Amino acid sequence: MVQDFGNETLPYGVFSTSDNPRPRIGVGLGTSIVDLSAASDRLSTGLRELANAEALTAFLHRDRSTWEELHSAVGEIAADPGDLVPQLGATMHMPFQVADYVDFYSSRQHAENVGRMFRPDDPPLLPNWLHMPIGYHGRSGTVVVSGTPITRPHGQRRGEYGPSFGPSQRLDIELELGFVLGNSTHLGEPVPVDNAADHIFGVVLVNDWSARDIQAWEYRPLGPFLGKSFATSVSAWVTPYSRLTKAKPPVQDPTPLPYLQGGEGPLDLDLEVWLRPAAADEPSQIGAVNAAQSLYWTPSQQVAHLTVNGATIRPGDLIASGTISGSERSEFGSLLEMSWNGTEPIEVGEVTRTFLENGDEVTLRGSVGGVVLGEVSGTVVA
Ligand code: CA
């Protein structure tokens, strides 16, 4: 999918073309790609070898000063780019090798919605939620690049007399932001919250595909295992974190523990959910939400929390925000919430949906002002 990136964020991706099938690093500029390996003679010796790699992973092994040197050099190349490769016709690849993958649960409205649906007799938030960014370890090996078809997963579901088995009947999406980490840490050394940004290379959009029926039978309220691990899609373009505007940190009451106080504010981005139903020609927008207004915990706090026990950061670690939901129905980031657990179908163009049907294509978009994030798209197949 061709996107107009303008010239402000200069996102990184990995692409190939029919006349040169080698995957290589590119920079999104307008509706074109700057082939960084072809321009590598304009980079310093230290950056040149990294720019000729087949993924961004080599950069993620380096530190923030190298990243800033790269962004700055790329800015100069983009100002006078020479030959450009049209996005149209280029094939995009997974931009980095995912090391560890953590999915957080940092939107208060989303957590409360799920609590109301699955624990109706209890307060919607568990008492720990306001004291730490809750998360779980996901499956890094099934993180796929935008455009990869999503095979409807099979598994156990709740049946009338014990489990039934078959394809998920409640396949869902989750609208999330992802953060690509690098600049390794040593085992046993937590990252202070004020240094967290030294480890955040870039930002991707994430669709955390979820099989609600498999999740609901695995664990209450919702299991984080096979109902999640079949696929997670990320955008093909990684936008430099340092080039994106941060909003004011959210008001947090109660005040979190000292190790979570500080760091950078959330990203000010407007996010959209689009769904093209099977057989429809055009997608319909079914949701819109502002990330900064709807996320309680920031990426800085998430990095500080996930390392506070001494766990390491590895180059290529991916952390996702958790489903981003605002206060209105039109701002919810999953079909589970939009259709209130399948009880209230939503209108999508000419048809209605509770959960996804085969052939449905979901696209998540993000932008603010003229700044555009790489979108993430996927079509459900049987
Ligand atoms: Ca999620």
Side-chain angles (χ1 to χ4, degrees):
M1 183 69 198
V2 176
Q3 291 184 264
D4 188 348
F5 290 116
N7 60 2
E8 285 185 62
T9 53
L10 302 173
Y12 299 97
V14 172
F15 75 103
S16 62
T17 46
S18 54
D19 61 340
N20 183 354
R22 187 180 85 90
R24 52 207 193 272
I25 297 173
V27 175
L29 176 66
T31 55
S32 301
I33 302 171
V34 179
D35 184 336
L36 203 57
S37 63
S40 62
D41 57 347
R42 295 168 66 183
L43 296 171
S44 67
T45 319
L47 293 177
R48 199 169 300 152
E49 188 182 344
L50 304 177
N52 282 311
E54 294 196 352
L56 296 172
T57 309
F59 283 110
L60 302 176
H61 281 265
R62 308 301 284 273
D63 64 8
R64 187 177 183 175
S65 67
T66 307
W67 302 344
E68 294 306 327
E69 186 191 344
L70 172 71
H71 302 334
S72 165
V74 162
E76 285 172 24
I77 291 172
D80 178 18
D83 289 344
L84 292 169
V85 179
Q87 283 181 43
L88 191 68
T91 301
M92 301 305 298
H93 302 269
M94 187 66 200
F96 62 101
Q97 290 155 323
V98 182
D100 287 310
Y101 167 44
V102 170
D103 191 19
F104 283 97
Y105 191 54
S106 289
S107 158
R108 181 172 184 163
Q109 185 68 48
H110 172 69
E112 290 184 344
N113 286 344
V114 172
R116 286 192 187 97
M117 273 181 243
F118 294 96
R119 288 190 311 266
D121 300 328
D122 295 322
L125 279 188
L126 293 174
N128 58 354
W129 197 94
L130 292 171
H131 294 280
M132 61 173 140
I134 302 291
Y136 71 94
H137 281 273
R139 191 164 189 85
S140 53
T142 51
V143 178
V144 297
V145 72
S146 176
T148 305
I150 303 302
T151 303
R152 182 179 295 273
H154 284 57
Q156 291 195 26
R157 307 154 308 190
R158 189 188 314 280
E160 202 173 342
Y161 308 101
S164 67
F165 183 87
S168 169
Q169 291 162 359
R170 295 190 151 218
L171 185 58
D172 198 358
I173 59 158
E174 290 191 339
L175 166 65
E176 306 196 20
L177 281 173
F179 299 90
V180 182
L181 307 185
N183 184 14
S184 319
T185 60
H186 296 292
L187 192 64
E189 288 180 9
V191 175
V193 67
D194 286 326
N195 297 353
D198 294 348
H199 299 274
I200 307 176
F201 175 83
V203 180
V204 287
L205 278 166
V206 175
N207 187 345
D208 178 27
W209 305 92
S210 303
R212 301 302 181 191
D213 43 358
I214 296 173
Q215 278 192 283
W217 172 242
E218 273 181 345
Y219 202 78
R220 293 187 70 188
L222 285 172
F225 191 31
L226 297 188
K228 288 290 193 180
S229 60
F230 56 95
T232 306
S233 298
V234 297
S235 54
W237 294 98
V238 181
T239 302
Y241 177 71
S242 60
R243 287 198 197 269
L244 291 171
T245 306
K246 318 300 186 296
K248 255 178 42 181
V251 175
Q252 295 178 321
D253 181 19
T255 302
L257 290 172
Y259 80 91
L260 291 170
Q261 294 174 16
E264 297 195 343
L267 294 179
D268 185 15
L269 286 168
D270 295 318
L271 308 178
E272 298 172 358
V273 183
W274 292 74
L275 173 56
R276 186 189 54 72
D281 292 329
E282 297 294 329
S284 298
Q285 187 177 345
I286 58 171
V289 65
N290 180 270
Q293 289 165 19
S294 308
L295 286 167
Y296 189 87
W297 297 103
T298 66
S300 287
Q301 290 175 314
Q302 290 166 340
V303 168
H305 185 65
L306 85 84
T307 60
V308 74
N309 64 351
T312 47
I313 288 174
R314 296 196 293 164
D317 280 1
L318 174 68
I319 63 172
S321 60
T323 310
I324 305 171
S325 291
S327 52
E328 304 293 324
R329 180 73 60 110
S330 63
E331 298 175 327
F332 291 170
S334 67
L335 294 171
L336 175 79
E337 294 162 275
M338 293 180 199
S339 73
W340 208 253
N341 202 13
T343 60
E344 298 170 25
I346 60 165
E347 286 183 19
V348 187
E350 311 269 291
V351 300
T352 62
R353 283 288 184 276
T354 49
F355 294 97
L356 295 171
E357 298 191 3
N358 293 341
D360 285 359
E361 179 185 45
V362 177
T363 302
L364 309 180
R365 299 189 171 133
S367 63
V368 62
V371 169
V372 176
L373 245 58
E375 64 185 30
V376 60
S377 187
T379 300
V380 177
V381 297

